[in-house]
């Protein structure tokens, strides 16, 4: 509110304030009392140790999602999961990575920042969200391409489609019927289009499972954040396509299912 460093606040706590900052302070308190998330009020949230601008146009990045980013980064560096498990295959020196349904861009930008050789593309249907993602890329010094469109639509060229070594996504996955039961901060303030995953919460996973192989290169990797009760359903959707190998689920720090991983099959997987 006053853009004053914390140390100065402690040193000058006895100074009497004028009416203007006091009015601003109580206006902020009023917004919080109505359920507006603190992150939207202050306009920022930390993710993977990096600062991100957040507005009501994007979901607030959460610690659980860091599991997705951490494993993506670890796999890009040396084909190793965050828990130390090794994945067979080669590592590209300059991997192309797509963050689909990117929102604030937290996952893709973290990858670009911590794997500097990665070439990151951010995509989202929401033009407003994509503007925030672009701002966050600049804020964190990441040279990421940003494209607007529905899931993989921006990558379908007239003569040649764009392909990636890794696709990551934290798509909408909340069941429509569950949304009214969410805490007020979420249901009344965070963007509904980033939450609603359809009647069973799986609408986006169905499309991603079916379409992603077309945009993954040889042995390309797919990482999806999921709801804690969606492991079996999402893994089944991937298996049904016949296009993936090494399907597995990665738990979060609380031991809950959080990320589903899969690798695009190659010829040797069918032998």
């Amino acid at each position: 509110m006053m853009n004053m460093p914390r140390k100065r606040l402690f040193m000058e706590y006895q100074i009497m304030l004028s009416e203007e900052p006091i009015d601003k302070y109580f206006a902020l308190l009023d917004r919080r009392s109505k359920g507006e998330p603190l992150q939207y009020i202050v306009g920022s949230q930390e993710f993977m140790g990096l600062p991100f601008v957040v507005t009501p146009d994007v979901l607030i990045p959460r610690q659980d999602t860091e599991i997705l980013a951490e494993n993506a980064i670890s796999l890009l560096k040396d084909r190793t999961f965050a828990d130390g498990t090794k994945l067979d295959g080669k590592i590209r020196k300059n991997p192309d990575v797509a963050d689909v349904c990117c929102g604030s861009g937290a996952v893709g930008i973290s990858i670009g920042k911590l794997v500097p050789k990665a070439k990151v593309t951010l995509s989202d249907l929401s033009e407003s969200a994509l503007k925030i993602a672009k701002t966050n890329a600049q804020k964190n010094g990441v040279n990421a391409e940003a494209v607007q469109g529905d899931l993989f639509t921006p990558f379908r060229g007239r003569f040649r489609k764009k392909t990636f070594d890794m696709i990551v996504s934290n798509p909408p996955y909340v069941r429509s019927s569950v949304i009214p039961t969410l805490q007020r901060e979420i249901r009344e303030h965070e963007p509904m289009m980033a939450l609603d995953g359809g009647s069973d919460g799986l609408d986006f996973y169905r499309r991603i499972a079916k379409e992603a192989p077309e945009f993954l290169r040889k042995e390309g990797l797919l990482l999806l954040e999921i709801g804690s009760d969606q492991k079996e359903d999402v893994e089944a959707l991937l298996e049904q396509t016949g296009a993936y190998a090494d399907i597995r689920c990665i738990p979060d720090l609380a031991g809950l299912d959080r990320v589903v991983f899969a690798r695009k099959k190659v010829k040797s997987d069918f032998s």
Side-chain angles (χ1 to χ4, degrees), residues 57-74:
D57 291 314
V58 297
L59 285 181
I60 299 166
R62 289 166 167 81
Q63 186 177 16
D64 289 340
T65 304
E66 291 189 353
I67 302 300
L68 174 61
E70 287 170 356
N71 280 274
I73 291 165
S74 186

Side-chain angles (χ1 to χ4, degrees), residues 113-242:
K113 185 71 173 181
L114 299 173
V115 187
K117 292 184 178 180
K119 294 178 285 184
V120 176
T121 300
L122 307 170
S123 74
D124 203 286
L125 180 59
S126 168
E127 186 176 354
S128 299
L130 210 56
K131 288 180 180 178
I132 299 298
K134 290 178 182 178
T135 297
N136 282 323
Q138 294 172 354
K139 185 180 183 70
N140 286 285
V142 173
N143 185 23
E145 181 182 4
V147 293
Q148 193 227 344
D150 185 20
L151 284 183
F152 300 104
T153 302
F155 310 136
R156 287 191 171 95
R158 178 175 293 183
F159 300 106
R160 185 178 182 181
K161 61 181 174 290
K162 186 169 183 177
T163 57
F164 302 91
D165 300 290
M166 176 182 284
I167 295 172
V168 297
S169 184
N170 179 15
Y173 59 71
V174 180
R175 294 177 180 84
S176 300
S177 60
V178 172
I179 288 175
T181 70
L182 298 175
Q183 65 188 81
R184 183 172 62 157
E185 283 84 351
I186 298 173
R187 71 173 186 269
E188 294 184 4
H189 296 277
E190 298 203 53
M192 197 56 55
M193 70 179 295
L195 293 168
D196 195 339
S199 59
D200 61 0
L202 301 173
D203 283 1
F204 286 82
Y205 297 115
R206 289 189 181 90
R207 294 182 57 193
I208 292 171
K210 181 181 178 181
E211 299 175 30
E214 182 182 352
F215 301 92
L216 283 170
R217 293 174 182 160
K218 182 179 179 181
E219 291 195 286
L221 309 181
L222 177 66
L223 291 93
L224 305 170
E225 177 166 333
I226 61 168
S228 60
D229 60 348
Q230 294 176 317
K231 170 183 178 291
E232 293 181 1
D233 290 330
V234 175
E235 287 184 343
L237 289 172
L238 295 171
E239 289 169 355
Q240 288 165 13
T241 68

Side-chain angles (χ1 to χ4, degrees), residues 254-266:
L256 300 175
D257 296 327
R258 185 57 55 194
V259 173
V260 167
F261 165 87
R263 174 179 60 82
K264 183 180 178 180
K265 281 185 176 180
V266 293

Side-chain angles (χ1 to χ4, degrees), residues 82-117:
D83 67 359
T85 305
K86 189 75 175 178
L87 180 71
D88 293 335
K90 298 180 180 179
I91 307 166
R92 283 175 58 91
K93 291 183 178 180
N94 303 100
D96 283 294
V97 181
D99 180 1
V100 180
C101 302
C102 70
S104 66
V107 176
I109 292 167
S110 296
I111 291 171
K113 185 71 173 181
L114 299 173
V115 187
K117 292 184 178 180

